[in-house]
Amino acid sequence: MKRFLVVFVALTFSLNLIHAEDDTEGSFNLVLGNCSYALARDLVYHEHVDKVFVPLVQRNATSVWYGDQTVYCIKALNENEESEGGVAFIKEGGISHHFVTIEMHSKTGNALHYDVQVYGH
Ligand SMILES: *[C@@H]1O[C@H](CO)[C@@H](O)[C@H](O)[C@H]1NC(C)=O
Ligand SMILES: *[C@@H]1O[C@H](CO)[C@@H](O)[C@H](O)[C@H]1NC(C)=O
């Protein structure tokens, strides 16, 4: 019985950790890597994500890039001036990889506007 309890507590604890990571990963403006030295010619991916608001709905979008270059700077800048909500986060790949998947979520009932830039060399 005691052993079962320990296993149960450990499992609950690790599940909480995974969940906590999910929650803290997103940021309003995502800036990762060596962006202060990012060069215009290294811009391998550029996208303006624009989704109009729908009442009571969270707008989501995913940007995917993969190629020959190694990613050294990622920016997903929130351009929705009307709301302080919205998060962007890396789902797969990222800095030092040859691919990246960036996911964006608006605040419920808000538009989703992001400027996504990936730099690689
Ligand atoms: C950022 O890039 C510059 C130019 O390539 C380089 O000199 C610098 O060491 C890099 N900084 C980091 C923290 O990687
Ligand atoms: C957007 O993502 C959130 C969180 O994963 C989810 O709960 C929601 O249903 C998604 N919205 C749409 C319209 O798919």
Side-chain angles (χ1 to χ4, degrees), residues 57-60 89 103-105:
V57 170
Q58 199 177 8
R59 300 308 309 267
N60 301 337
F89 55 94
E103 191 158 322
M104 290 146 278
H105 294 174

Side-chain angles (χ1 to χ4, degrees), residues 33-57:
N34 197 351
C35 289
S36 12
Y37 291 89
L39 302 173
R41 64 155 194 259
D42 293 339
L43 186 64
V44 292
Y45 184 84
H46 193 192
E47 184 188 2
H48 282 282
V49 172
D50 288 303
K51 294 201 167 194
V52 297
F53 80 95
V54 176
L56 308 177
V57 170

Side-chain angles (χ1 to χ4, degrees), residues 15-111:
L15 285 178
N16 277 343
L17 279 182
I18 293 165
H19 188 70
E21 261 174 38
D22 279 353
D23 283 345
T24 52
E25 247 180 316
S27 0
F28 182 72
N29 284 312
L30 188 70
V31 179
L32 294 171
N34 197 351
C35 289
S36 12
Y37 291 89
L39 302 173
R41 64 155 194 259
D42 293 339
L43 186 64
V44 292
Y45 184 84
H46 193 192
E47 184 188 2
H48 282 282
V49 172
D50 288 303
K51 294 201 167 194
V52 297
F53 80 95
V54 176
L56 308 177
V57 170
Q58 199 177 8
R59 300 308 309 267
N60 301 337
T62 307
S63 294
V64 181
W65 175 83
Y66 53 89
D68 294 330
Q69 298 88 344
T70 305
V71 175
Y72 71 88
C73 161
I74 297 166
K75 291 185 195 176
L77 305 175
N78 200 321
E79 297 188 305
N80 189 356
E81 283 119 31
E82 273 140 49
S83 87
E84 65 288 3
V87 289
F89 55 94
I90 303 295
K91 228 180 150 192
E92 288 174 302
I95 300 300
S96 304
H97 288 83
H98 297 282
F99 66 99
V100 61
T101 302
I102 303 161
E103 191 158 322
M104 290 146 278
H105 294 174
S106 79
K107 201 164 136 184
T108 302
N110 279 268

